[in-house]
Amino acid sequence: MLTVALPKGALLIDSIKLLQAVGLDFSAFLDSGSRLLQIQDPSGTAKALLVRAQDVPVYVEYGQAQLGIVGYDVLREKSPQVAHLADLRFGKCRMSVAVRDSSPYRSSLELPPHGRVASKFVHCAHEHFNNLDLPVEIIPLYGSVELGPITGMSEAIVDLVSTGRTLKENGLIEIDILFESTARLIAHPLSYRLNTYELNHWVEQLQALTLSTV
């Protein structure tokens, strides 16, 4: 049976709506009283796994799911061995460098050499500053990274930004954008080549639906 890995959090509702549009119904995950982590489509065509966004490409890479929906930010951070099939055009946000609004820095290049940058996206942060040939110390944080500059632990942060409201409310401003991120459709490479569980049929439908909304 086809298995789809779905991300908990901000992308879940739109992911379920997209799959419903091609005939796969996993809306039971939206039941507030449900604690299910695996459900089957009522038609018996496919099942879905509900996992942390960062784990979606892991389940797909190792073949426990043939399809997955995940943010481009996760793909950039983890560089998993998966097939990238479509930009699904929802979940828009951006990976940004931010500092306190009282800071003198207004671009990444203005940050001091060997300064400190807090981020949960350690690989993306390293990549950005390596490309600038600017040596910095990346401090891994997995909670509210905004506290880094607020407490003085770091000069800057690298984090996902959607509306910018959280930054503004905490006295931070964006000074650079690393890349834009949206939800992406990914697949297990071998399953995609072999058309396991008629995978190509579902991929083609999802790609066509995405293109029709452009």
Side-chain angles (χ1 to χ4, degrees):
M1 183 182 293
L2 177 71
T3 302
V4 185
L6 296 179
K8 295 180 180 178
L11 298 181
L12 181 60
I13 292 177
D14 284 334
S15 297
I16 288 175
K17 286 180 179 178
L18 179 68
L19 291 168
Q20 282 179 317
V22 298
L24 297 175
D25 184 5
F26 302 118
S27 58
F29 278 143
L30 301 179
D31 182 350
S32 60
S34 173
R35 294 294 181 267
L36 293 172
L37 299 176
Q38 178 177 288
I39 60 174
Q40 188 170 312
D41 170 75
S43 69
T45 304
K47 63 181 178 181
L49 311 176
L50 184 62
V51 301
R52 289 184 62 194
Q54 293 85 350
D55 292 337
V56 168
V58 180
Y59 281 92
V60 174
E61 181 175 358
Y62 283 87
Q64 273 63 50
Q66 291 75 49
L67 274 182
I69 295 176
V70 67
Y72 180 61
D73 56 292
V74 176
L75 298 178
R76 283 286 294 265
E77 179 66 17
K78 288 185 168 288
S79 300
Q81 298 300 306
V82 298
H84 298 216
L85 302 180
D87 180 348
L88 301 177
R89 305 180 190 278
F90 61 82
K92 291 183 180 179
C93 53
R94 55 197 179 272
M95 188 71 69
S96 296
V97 181
V99 298
R100 294 188 68 174
D101 55 14
S102 58
S103 165
Y105 312 119
R106 288 299 178 265
S107 77
S108 297
L109 281 171
E110 293 179 11
L111 292 169
H114 306 291
R116 292 177 293 187
V117 178
S119 183
K120 59 174 70 79
F121 298 93
V122 173
H123 174 76
C124 291
H126 273 300
E127 183 181 55
H128 174 66
F129 288 101
N130 286 343
N131 288 341
L132 296 176
D133 199 24
L134 178 63
V136 297
E137 178 185 355
I138 306 297
I139 302 174
L141 286 180
Y142 298 98
S144 300
V145 293
E146 295 85 3
L147 283 171
I150 291 172
T151 62
M153 184 172 67
S154 68
E155 280 77 29
I157 63 172
V158 171
D159 201 17
L160 276 183
V161 178
S162 180
T163 64
R165 179 179 174 183
T166 301
L167 292 180
K168 185 176 181 181
E169 289 182 352
N170 287 282
L172 303 179
I173 57 169
E174 293 174 80
I175 59 172
D176 272 321
I177 296 175
L178 281 63
F179 56 83
E180 304 285 342
S181 180
T182 52
R184 305 297 169 96
L185 182 68
I186 61 173
H188 180 257
L190 184 58
S191 297
Y192 185 53
R193 287 199 297 271
L194 297 179
N195 195 24
T196 306
Y197 306 123
E198 298 186 352
L199 179 57
N200 293 353
H201 164 76
W202 298 107
V203 169
E204 289 168 5
Q205 285 201 67
L206 289 165
Q207 289 174 329
L209 186 63
T210 301
L211 289 172
S212 71
T213 60
V214 176

